[in-house]
Amino acid sequence: MFKSARIKLTLWYLLMIMAISVIFSLIIYRVQVSESERILQRQRVRIESGGFLRPGFGPAPLEPEILEEARNRLKLNLILINLGVLIVSGGAAYFLAGRTLKPIEEAVEDQKRFVADASHELRTPLTTMKTELEVNLRGKGFGQEAKKILESNLEEVDKLSYLSDKLLRLSRYEQKEGLVFSPVSLNEVVEEVIKKLSGLTKSKKIEIVKNLEEVNIQGDFAALAEGFGTILDNAVKYSPKESKVNVDLQSKDGKTVVKIQDFGVGIKNSELPHIFDRFYRADASRTKEKVEGFGLGLSIAKAAIEKHHGKIEVESTPGKGSTFTVTLPTA
Ligand SMILES: Nc1ncnc2c1ncn2[C@@H]1O[C@H](COP(=O)(O)OP(=O)(O)OP(=O)(O)O)[C@@H](O)[C@H]1O
Ligand SMILES: [Mg+2]
């Protein structure tokens, strides 16, 4: 993200410097040309009026060819100067853009580290609370009413653990430090994800139709599984019962393309640009059947896929379904 911002800023700096340099060059050129034309005109008038011009007694007559040559030389010099300015200021602009963005980059990294640390710190007390609640629920010391309250507390604690876990992983994928890459079989990743979701697919009687080519890439198994898991989880979550989800994995021209197509609620065009934002949930997921979630899944998937130099695209028609396409470079 900061690399492209640095390049954009460099181009803006460069554009400004070059605009000034070119404007000045044009002014210099115009002034020189009109000055020499004025001298030539004056000499012509003097010669025509019988004025005497000898070496040592005034400026030598300016031939139009000499004048043309001088103009061309000036043009060439100005072009060379501008090229020099372009190269030198290009380097300087890149350096300055880096210096300008450094504090912002550091602040963003700090913020991500804070989220990671905070979510990490939340895990221990939440685990303790969960254990204590479970022990008390199993014990005989509480009445029916109290147990209901404890159960509801346990549900909330589970939600909080899930949230802190998601936040922790999101900040991990978004941080600068990379994941550890090794050869990974992408079809195995997808198979694993489908297996993990079998409980949900069975309960909704959703059929997953797979068409998986064998593909190996360099990557992090867990992060890839998380990315594809989220997209597939959504496909199942936002599909009606007894529907179908197509999963297609193909590799060609150095690229691996994974398509996950569902025939569910779909996403409105106006909501599409936001679904990868943190905590964003489209209207369809809040109303109707009310699907649980925090709106974090796709931002985690995007971060995990981008860590692998890949991208996620989505096409969707409300009421008809959505297709998520993940493109990854094949090692
Ligand atoms: N396959 C899909 N079909 C329809 N809507 C979808 C689909 N995938 C994502 N969405 C919409 O995009 C929103 C964001 O998805 P995201 O996975 O980030 O969050 P979530 O599923 O609501 O919660 P969670 O954090 O549990 O994943 C969802 O709330 C949903 O409205
Ligand atoms: Mg989700």
Side-chain angles (χ1 to χ4, degrees):
M1 174 182 133
F2 276 96
K3 196 145 192 122
S4 70
R6 187 176 186 178
I7 290 170
K8 263 187 219 155
L9 195 57
T10 304
L11 289 177
W12 277 112
Y13 282 160
L14 207 56
L15 188 72
M16 277 192 287
I17 296 168
M18 287 318 295
I20 294 169
S21 175
V22 168
I23 288 169
F24 271 105
S25 304
L26 287 175
I27 293 171
I28 291 170
Y29 182 73
R30 282 302 330 153
V31 168
Q32 284 290 341
V33 167
S34 57
E35 185 63 15
S36 52
E37 267 167 4
R38 201 174 56 82
I39 295 173
L40 186 70
Q41 189 62 25
R42 267 173 56 188
Q43 286 181 343
R44 246 188 231 130
V45 170
R46 264 202 236 167
I47 291 167
E48 275 163 18
S49 65
F52 190 60
L53 286 163
R54 267 194 294 141
F57 287 90
L62 285 173
E63 306 273 347
E65 297 84 52
I66 298 176
L67 205 67
E68 188 60 35
E69 200 188 317
R71 265 186 215 167
N72 285 341
R73 224 176 5 230
L74 179 66
K75 233 189 258 172
L76 185 71
N77 283 340
L78 287 173
I79 289 172
L80 287 177
I81 288 171
N82 274 290
L83 274 178
V85 171
L86 179 71
I87 293 165
V88 174
S89 55
Y94 188 69
F95 173 75
L96 282 178
R99 290 288 289 261
T100 314
L101 290 174
K102 188 112 193 123
I104 305 171
E105 192 177 1
E106 277 169 5
V108 171
E109 280 299 311
D110 269 356
Q111 191 210 12
K112 284 178 192 162
R113 216 167 301 130
F114 169 76
V115 174
D117 292 345
S119 346
H120 192 261
E121 291 303 322
L122 277 173
R123 282 174 117 188
T124 322
L126 284 172
T127 315
T128 314
M129 278 165 80
K130 187 176 156 75
T131 320
E132 283 173 3
L133 283 168
E134 279 169 347
V135 169
N136 282 318
L137 269 172
R138 263 185 257 126
K140 293 191 176 103
F142 292 97
Q144 222 39 33
E145 251 338 275
K147 280 198 173 176
K148 257 193 197 146
I149 295 171
L150 289 183
E151 261 165 23
S152 146
N153 282 357
L154 187 61
E155 253 174 48
E156 297 306 317
V157 168
D158 277 342
K159 276 189 200 163
L160 277 176
S161 310
Y162 176 80
L163 176 63
S164 77
D165 231 45
K166 283 212 161 192
L167 280 174
L168 186 63
R169 286 201 304 279
L170 174 64
S171 51
R172 199 177 131 229
Y173 296 144
E174 281 187 342
Q175 263 172 39
K176 230 176 165 182
E177 300 94 65
L179 304 167
V180 185
F181 280 18
S182 56
V184 171
S185 154
L186 209 54
N187 44 305
E188 270 177 31
V189 173
V190 178
E191 292 276 8
E192 169 93 13
V193 164
I194 294 174
K195 207 158 64 182
K196 265 198 184 158
L197 280 172
S198 60
L200 188 59
T201 43
K202 260 186 210 146
S203 71
K204 284 186 87 173
K205 292 194 181 126
I206 287 176
E207 184 195 359
I208 297 203
V209 183
K210 5 173 222 185
N211 175 21
L212 311 177
E213 220 177 80
E214 270 186 31
V215 180
N216 288 309
I217 67 160
Q218 283 291 326
D220 180 300
F221 194 99
L224 286 168
E226 173 118 45
F228 289 112
T230 300
I231 300 173
L232 205 63
D233 174 62
N234 284 344
V236 177
K237 250 173 39 171
Y238 300 111
S239 284
K241 281 182 182 159
E242 293 174 26
S243 62
K244 211 172 70 172
V245 172
N246 293 325
V247 184
D248 205 80
L249 190 165
Q250 270 174 2
S251 173
K252 69 169 179 203
D253 305 329
K255 275 185 202 157
T256 302
V257 180
V258 185
K259 269 188 203 286
I260 297 171
Q261 183 188 23
D262 67 64
F263 303 91
V265 293
I267 306 158
K268 276 193 250 165
N269 255 347
S270 59
E271 293 182 305
L272 276 181
H274 308 292
I275 57 167
F276 295 97
D277 295 348
R278 288 174 221 175
F279 294 108
Y280 184 85
R281 305 201 73 211
D283 288 343
S285 57
R286 296 174 193 272
T287 52
K288 283 187 189 163
E289 285 186 32
K290 203 169 183 305
V291 184
E292 290 280 328
F294 287 104
L296 273 177
L298 283 179
S299 47
I300 296 177
K302 185 169 177 260
I305 296 297
E306 283 180 354
K307 264 266 150 64
H308 290 82
H309 313 289
K311 61 175 179 185
I312 309 181
E313 286 155 314
V314 50
E315 281 168 49
S316 188
T317 313
K320 292 216 164 129
S322 320
T323 304
F324 282 77
T325 308
V326 178
T327 312
L328 286 161
T330 309

